[in-house]
Each structure stands twice: as structure tokens, then as C-alpha cells.
Amino acid sequence: MKKKILAFTLAASVAALSACSGGGDNEVVMTSKAGDVTKEEFYKEMKDSVGEQALQMIVLEKVLEDKYKVDEKKVDAEFDKNKEQLGENFEAFLAQQGQTPESFKKMIRLNMLQEAALTDGVKVTDEELNKRIEETQSEINARHILVADEETAKEVKEKLDKGEDFAKVAKEYSTDPGSKDKGGDLDWFGYGVMVPEFWSAAYDLEPGTISEPVQSDHGFHIIEVKEKRQKEDKKITDEEKDEMRQELLMEKSDENELLSKVAKLVKEADVKIKDKDLKSALDLFKMEDQPAADETPDVEVEQDDKETEKEESK
């Protein structure tokens, strides 16, 4: 899924841990000649291995589902899309991730819930959407010089402003192995090929002009746009427009706000953890305005601490 989503990859473990909540503690979940495994034993083993992370995921899912709704058709569509893209490797992918088809769908649903929380209150105007549509229908022919730091980028820009040959400067300074020996030439490319910072700067440049230093995760770029053109007219479907709108919402949202939004929902949900061994699971969601460490958090997760009661009665 997209960035800005809290990292939880324990859907299969959560499903197993959740299954322990029903029935009696002595109910057998496995039999063998070597001995049986009860729900109580299974729960303890799961709790010791993935308990806190699994509980965090359950709490996250509960509070988000109470606030936001996810279209199950979209969950199924995303699942089918991933399955189609991976083809015959899909089963191997699930096994590598420790997932089942059901738990993978659970992860997709949780990601969508987090996206809903992250984009809550964020607006995308028709003008912004129309610009994105235009961008996806545009192609740019450009060249660039990539350097590691801003000081070198300014030095390069100064040389170009003084009239030095772009290709010559690119061969001397650029750290991009794919374009350096070609004088920085990138040929034609469309939307989504380059990193967003590069694309935005190039798209806003007029042909024949050179950008100021543009920073991305790769370093600092000096970009010259040579030409622009429109792709052949293609009708944009309503589904594609919805995808573009969601993409813009995610781009405009602040990833740092997700945890604080979830923390607020956790507090409002009045969650109380009754298993003392798992109380610290809520530390992930604690913000400055939440209870102090010696106070009981407010999240309700039903699991009687029968082991503790047994120990105390001995």
C-alpha cells in the first residue's frame, strides 16, 4: 500500500490470537499422541510471542472501524489486483509474508481504514484534480544533472547560467550513471516515472528553461526541459478519477498526524486492557494528553486474566 501507513504485518497471528477468546480455557485446539494443546496454552504461547503487536493491531482495527467505513468491494478489488499482478507467485508471496488469503484481505482493509483516518478533513479541489489529469496525459523530454549536495548544485547552476554547455557539465558533475555519459539526457518520460519532486519541477518548467536545484531522496537535480507533448487523447474513467483523487488526498495529508488521530480515537473509545502482561501494548498510542504511565489506559479488550487469579489463589 501507499506510504504513511502504520506498519502492522501480523494479521495471521492476530487471527489466531483472536480465536482464543471464545470457549473455555481447557477447550482443546490440537490433539496428538504426544499430548493435547488447550486454548489456554495456545493463548499464552501466542501472547508471549506476538501479544503486544497483535493487540495493537486489534485495537487499531476496532477504533478505526467504529469511526470509518470501508467498501468491501474495494477490498476485494485490491486483493484481486495484487493476485493478478503476482500471478503464479501469489501463493509464495503469502507464505513468505506469513499470510493467508483471509489475513491478507484483513491487512488491505486495515490499510484502507488508516487511509480514511489519515485523509479525514483533507480536501482536493476540482482544479487540483484536473491538473493531475493533465499531468497523466503529458510527456516531457528533459535532461538533468544530479549531485549529492546543495552547494555543488548551486555551483553547477552558476556554470549553466554563465552559458557553459549542459552536456559537458553533466558529464563532469552528474552522479546519475544512467544519464551522465549521455550529457544528462533522460529522453521522453510520463507521469509516475520520475520521483514526485522531479516531476513537479519539470512539469512546471517551460521548454528551454533550467530549474533551480530540486531536492529529492536521490540528491539535488538541475533540470532542463527540452520539449513537452500531449499523449493521444484517452478518456479518463470515473474509477481512474477516484484513484487520482485518493492519490492527491494521500499526498496532501500529513503522515505525522496519523498516530495522533489514532491516539485520540483510542482515548475516546475508553479502552481497558485486563491482561496485565499486555498493558504496555497501548504505549504506542500514548500522546502527551493521555494518562500517565501509572494510570490505566482507556481501551477495552476482553480477556480475563485467569492465569493471574490462579497464581494468587495458590
Side-chain angles (χ1 to χ4, degrees):
M1 301 296 288
K2 302 178 182 65
K3 64 177 183 177
K4 305 178 181 178
I5 299 300
L6 293 179
F8 287 92
T9 57
L10 299 161
S13 299
V14 170
L17 190 59
S18 300
C20 301
S21 60
D25 286 348
N26 293 321
E27 183 178 338
V28 175
V29 296
M30 186 208 80
T31 62
S32 76
K33 293 180 179 179
D36 299 342
V37 175
T38 65
K39 277 195 172 183
E40 182 179 8
E41 292 172 320
F42 186 53
Y43 172 78
K44 186 178 186 308
E45 182 62 33
M46 294 295 294
K47 184 177 74 170
D48 290 343
S49 58
V50 297
E52 287 195 3
Q53 301 99 310
L55 188 53
Q56 287 165 356
M57 186 172 169
I58 292 173
V59 170
L60 180 67
E61 185 177 34
K62 291 287 186 184
V63 298
L64 289 178
E65 282 185 335
D66 188 55
K67 175 75 172 179
Y68 304 101
K69 302 302 177 186
V70 168
D71 187 343
E72 291 301 319
K73 290 182 179 179
K74 290 185 178 180
V75 174
D76 291 338
E78 184 66 22
F79 177 89
D80 292 340
K81 179 182 176 182
N82 280 272
K83 186 175 182 180
E84 182 179 349
Q85 288 176 343
L86 289 165
E88 61 183 18
N89 297 318
F90 184 65
E91 295 297 329
F93 166 78
L94 291 181
Q96 185 180 29
Q97 299 296 316
Q99 300 271 11
T100 65
E102 292 73 21
S103 69
F104 187 57
K105 278 190 178 183
K106 187 182 186 74
M107 290 305 306
I108 292 173
R109 185 180 298 105
L110 183 57
N111 280 342
M112 289 184 175
L113 284 167
Q114 290 183 86
E115 285 190 5
L118 186 59
T119 58
D120 189 11
V122 180
K123 303 295 182 183
V124 170
T125 66
D126 290 340
E127 291 77 11
E128 290 170 326
L129 180 59
N130 290 334
K131 181 184 178 184
R132 178 55 51 88
I133 292 173
E134 290 175 6
E135 289 183 80
T136 63
Q137 296 178 321
S138 299
E139 289 183 318
I140 297 172
N141 188 347
R143 54 185 178 176
H144 82 140
I145 300 170
L146 176 65
V147 296
D149 57 84
E150 188 173 12
E151 183 179 351
T152 306
K154 290 179 178 178
E155 181 181 333
V156 167
K157 182 63 165 62
E158 186 176 348
K159 285 179 177 288
L160 296 174
D161 288 343
K162 290 179 178 178
E164 291 199 30
D165 181 67
F166 194 101
K168 179 183 176 181
V169 177
K171 290 177 181 178
E172 180 182 355
Y173 282 90
S174 185
T175 61
D176 178 10
S179 66
K180 177 178 181 176
D181 294 336
K182 297 185 292 183
D185 187 43
L186 297 168
D187 206 351
W188 289 96
F189 56 87
Y191 175 79
V193 175
M194 304 298 181
V195 293
E197 300 88 350
F198 186 102
W199 171 265
S200 296
Y203 184 79
D204 290 338
L205 282 177
E206 291 297 325
T209 58
I210 298 175
S211 73
E212 294 296 324
V214 176
Q215 186 175 9
S216 77
D217 289 340
H218 300 293
F220 289 82
H221 310 259
I222 306 296
I223 307 166
E224 181 186 23
V225 171
K226 297 190 287 186
E227 297 179 81
K228 290 183 178 181
R229 69 187 181 193
Q230 291 293 113
K231 295 180 182 179
E232 293 183 11
D233 288 341
K234 176 192 171 188
K235 182 176 176 59
I236 304 297
T237 65
D238 290 339
E239 182 179 353
E240 289 173 325
K241 285 184 179 180
D242 288 341
E243 289 178 357
M244 290 182 199
R245 186 180 293 277
Q246 183 64 21
E247 183 181 72
L248 284 166
L249 285 169
M250 291 295 291
E251 289 175 9
K252 293 180 71 176
S253 61
D254 184 354
E255 62 185 76
N256 296 318
E257 290 186 2
L258 179 57
L259 192 55
S260 62
K261 285 183 176 181
V262 172
K264 182 180 179 182
L265 292 175
V266 167
K267 186 176 181 181
E268 292 174 350
D270 192 24
V271 182
K272 293 181 178 65
I273 295 180
K274 295 184 177 181
D275 189 323
K276 69 178 183 64
D277 294 331
L278 295 173
K279 286 188 180 295
S280 60
L282 287 187
D283 289 350
L284 174 67
F285 306 118
K286 284 184 178 179
M287 304 299 287
E288 291 181 1
D289 59 343
Q290 287 188 278
D294 59 343
E295 294 180 319
T296 303
D298 289 333
V299 183
E300 184 74 36
V301 177
E302 289 297 334
Q303 177 59 50
D304 291 338
D305 196 359
K306 294 186 177 180
E307 281 190 38
T308 301
E309 293 175 1
K310 289 177 182 178
E311 291 296 324
E312 291 176 348
S313 64
K314 290 180 179 180

